[in-house]
Amino acid sequence: MDILIVCLGNICRSPIAEGILKDKVEKEGLNWIVESAGTNGFHDGEHPHQLSTKICLQNGIDISSQRSRKFIKKDLLEYDLIFAMANDVIFDIQRIAQDEYREEKVQLFLEPLYPGKLQNVPDPWYGTEKDFVEVYALIDKACDAIINQYANHQKQFS
Ligand code: 4NP
């Protein structure tokens, strides 16, 4: 199963999610591919935000080799599941994907954790270290919920 996690800049939230989910997938022995992208492309080629890198490292996860890349239309074809960090990201994905948009592939990242609640992962971009710590904890819980929901349904996608 190929999963893409998407936020706006691909430097704060989705790199944390990529790092955590990859780590859990490896520990669970799942053969999922996990990658991330951002809809605005403002930070193309950049490392993750230094606070994202710092908080991940404090939790034993090294995301320093990740580089930001822009979400493209073709991603709708390439991935089985696309997780958007927030509603505005879903609108961006629809705008970029146009006729390639596949509603069944796209959902909010917090949907498996809080089904039907339409919750967004808060953007820590303008925040402090505390905001990054809180976002890390939320993303970590959400990754557990994703593993629980999809680990047994893997055959559907492979
Ligand atoms: P992210 O945070 O979407 O979690 O990576 C942001 C980073 C940069 C910008 C917006 C959000 N920006 O507009 O540059």
Side-chain angles (χ1 to χ4, degrees):
M1 187 164 73
D2 294 0
I3 294 178
L4 186 66
I5 304 165
V6 187
C7 62
L8 297 174
N10 191 212
I11 54 165
C12 297
R13 292 166 293 178
S14 60
I16 297 174
E18 178 185 328
I20 295 175
L21 191 57
K22 270 187 169 145
D23 184 59
K24 291 184 191 293
V25 159
E26 197 189 322
K27 284 173 179 155
E28 293 289 328
L30 298 165
N31 66 343
W32 298 358
I33 286 172
V34 179
E35 284 163 0
S36 65
T39 54
N40 72 20
F42 294 170
H43 299 272
D44 244 17
E46 289 180 22
H47 299 268
H49 191 287
Q50 56 161 341
L51 288 173
S52 291
T53 304
K54 179 179 172 182
I55 307 305
C56 281
L57 213 49
Q58 284 172 353
N59 288 277
I61 292 171
D62 183 1
I63 62 167
S64 61
S65 63
Q66 288 186 35
R67 295 293 180 275
S68 174
R69 73 132 171 117
K70 192 177 186 321
F71 178 87
I72 55 171
K73 189 172 180 173
K74 207 166 79 145
D75 287 328
L76 261 301
L77 300 173
E78 303 281 323
Y79 294 88
D80 302 303
L81 269 180
I82 296 174
F83 286 109
M85 283 289 162
N87 256 318
D88 55 353
V89 177
I90 291 194
F91 296 141
D92 279 350
I93 290 172
Q94 287 170 337
R95 177 177 50 78
I96 293 166
Q98 296 180 18
D99 53 318
E100 296 293 356
Y101 190 74
R102 297 288 179 272
E103 195 179 332
E104 68 279 7
K105 287 190 176 185
V106 182
Q107 64 178 291
L108 286 170
F109 183 74
L110 293 184
E111 182 61 24
L113 180 63
Y114 300 127
K117 301 280 185 222
L118 304 179
Q119 295 243 23
N120 299 325
V121 176
D123 191 350
W125 172 240
Y126 294 107
T128 63
E129 184 160 340
K130 182 171 168 284
D131 297 299
F132 281 81
V133 170
E134 287 171 8
V135 157
Y136 182 96
L138 180 60
I139 290 174
D140 187 55
K141 277 201 292 180
C143 287
D144 285 336
I146 288 169
I147 299 257
N148 282 336
Q149 180 158 336
Y150 289 99
N152 296 327
H153 297 98
Q154 199 177 353
K155 288 190 199 83
Q156 249 181 267
F157 296 97
S158 55

